[in-house]
Amino acid sequence: MTRRDPLYAPRIDEETWVFIDRTNAFYPPDTIDASISRQRAIYDEMCSAFRQPRPSGITVRDDRVKGNGGDIPIRRYRPDGSAQASATVVYYHGGGFVVGGLDSHDDICAEIAAETGFSVVAVDYRLCPENPHPASYEDARAACEALAAEGREIILCGDSAGGNLAAAVCLALRGEPAAPVGQLLIYPGLGGEILGLPSYREEAHAPLLTTRDVMFYENVRVEGEVPRNDPTYAPLSARDLTGVAPCVIQTADCDPLRDDGATYVKRLQDAGVEAEWINEPGLVHGYLRARTTSTRAKHSFARICNALRRLGKAT
């Protein structure tokens, strides 16, 4: 059982502690000290243990789109009766740009399709360190452009590292024919560690993601120095946010990345962009996997799906 840190014991309810303990049983806190191949094996095993059956009425098909680094694997989720849906949700998975793929978030994508009635497309972008930045960003952008060319408007969605990619692509494509009509970012990492935002100190030892973990992923993502003024790496470094797609960001309160969301929403609002920050009390990084066992996570997932529906109906 996880040691109940006095900082978190009063903030986190029992259902969430059970989720934390179960996660740590599969993905121990020292996993980042293992080899990359071992980290991936551990992560895949954990995701498999948490995976839920796909909802009925969802047709799933693996496919590919063209990218600068070769074909990009994608997975399409189409709910019955979605032919007239106004938008497609393009989903970028989390995993620190190091782990994860089409299977790690398969059930989440299928449930989003079922709950929203939108088609969902998951993108299997290249991972580092074999493919350092900007490879993952290039794949994320190329996939968005290819899917936009199919004729439906695009909403970008992603968690953690995937939230970073969604924000970066929205920034890059504003004003372009492939520009997304909305973005929903779930506990995204947007470069707050570079800025030294307070949550990196206040939540440095948070369950399931520590500031030490964040710094590992930052350093393994690049060859050489970490970029300091590259919005494709850290969207918070963008100087001009005007014209970006409407944005909803949901963060976990017990998470070093919390202030990334708050800070980015404030900057978007200052630039005249419609943006909303929803901070989830008592939740931790990675809580999407707790949506069937934690009441707080279940309600947050419902808010995610509701926000996606709102973004789609605004098109």
Side-chain angles (χ1 to χ4, degrees):
M1 179 175 290
T2 302
R3 180 175 63 88
R4 305 292 167 92
D5 188 315
L7 176 65
Y8 295 104
R11 298 166 63 188
I12 297 174
D13 66 11
E14 185 59 29
E15 289 180 331
T16 306
W17 280 118
V18 170
F19 164 69
I20 292 167
D21 291 339
R22 187 179 181 210
T23 300
N24 283 332
F26 287 100
Y27 199 88
D30 62 354
T31 297
I32 60 167
D33 296 323
S35 67
I36 296 297
S37 61
R38 181 60 183 151
Q39 288 185 44
R40 289 173 180 161
I42 293 171
Y43 186 78
D44 289 347
E45 182 181 3
M46 178 191 68
C47 291
S48 178
F50 278 97
R51 188 172 302 135
Q52 300 297 308
R54 292 173 184 160
S56 59
I58 302 293
T59 300
V60 181
R61 176 170 64 90
D62 286 353
D63 199 359
R64 291 178 177 268
V65 294
K66 296 293 184 182
N68 294 334
D71 286 354
I72 304 166
I74 62 173
R75 182 168 292 168
R76 299 177 184 266
Y77 303 80
R78 184 177 62 81
D80 294 346
S82 68
Q84 303 303 315
S86 60
T88 294
V89 176
V90 177
Y91 196 95
Y92 305 121
H93 68 83
F97 303 96
V98 172
V99 300
L102 294 181
D103 292 334
S104 63
H105 290 61
D106 178 81
D107 52 346
I108 293 167
C109 290
E111 289 176 33
I112 289 174
E115 291 296 322
T116 63
F118 296 149
S119 293
V120 175
V121 180
V123 179
D124 192 15
Y125 55 86
R126 286 172 289 171
L127 298 177
C128 62
E130 299 92 332
N131 303 284
H133 177 75
S136 59
Y137 161 77
E138 290 174 346
D139 285 356
R141 175 172 178 165
C144 179
E145 291 174 318
L147 293 164
E150 296 179 358
R152 287 187 179 176
E153 293 175 315
I154 299 297
I155 304 167
L156 294 188
C157 184
D159 68 288
S160 196
N164 172 293
L165 294 174
V169 172
C170 276
L171 278 168
L173 292 181
R174 57 186 154 169
E176 300 290 329
V181 299
Q183 54 181 319
L184 193 149
L185 318 179
I186 306 163
Y187 37 79
L190 303 173
E193 74 281 5
I194 297 173
L195 301 178
L197 296 181
S199 57
Y200 288 86
R201 300 186 301 275
E202 296 167 358
E203 312 297 336
H205 303 289
L208 303 191
L209 185 74
T210 66
T211 296
R212 176 173 177 258
D213 296 332
V214 174
M215 301 313 296
F216 168 83
Y217 293 126
E218 177 187 88
N219 290 319
V220 79
R221 188 180 170 193
V222 295
E223 290 181 332
E225 294 293 320
V226 172
R228 298 292 166 177
N229 295 291
D230 179 1
T232 69
Y233 179 87
L236 273 169
S237 68
R239 296 181 180 179
D240 179 12
L241 296 175
T242 57
V244 178
C247 180
V248 177
I249 300 182
Q250 295 195 210
T251 55
D253 193 51
C254 306
D255 183 353
L257 304 184
R258 181 193 63 218
D259 289 353
D260 288 43
T263 304
Y264 198 60
V265 163
K266 178 63 166 58
R267 291 187 180 179
L268 288 170
Q269 291 172 340
D270 289 345
V273 176
E274 181 182 344
E276 179 183 8
W277 175 47
I278 302 170
N279 187 48
E280 302 288 6
L283 287 180
V284 295
H285 196 83
Y287 71 74
L288 281 180
R289 285 186 296 274
R291 69 197 181 282
T292 61
T293 57
S294 160
T295 302
R296 289 177 177 177
K298 177 182 178 180
H299 289 165
S300 181
F301 186 67
R303 283 187 280 273
I304 288 166
C305 294
N306 287 336
L308 288 169
R309 283 192 291 266
R310 292 198 308 271
L311 291 168
K313 288 178 181 177
T315 63

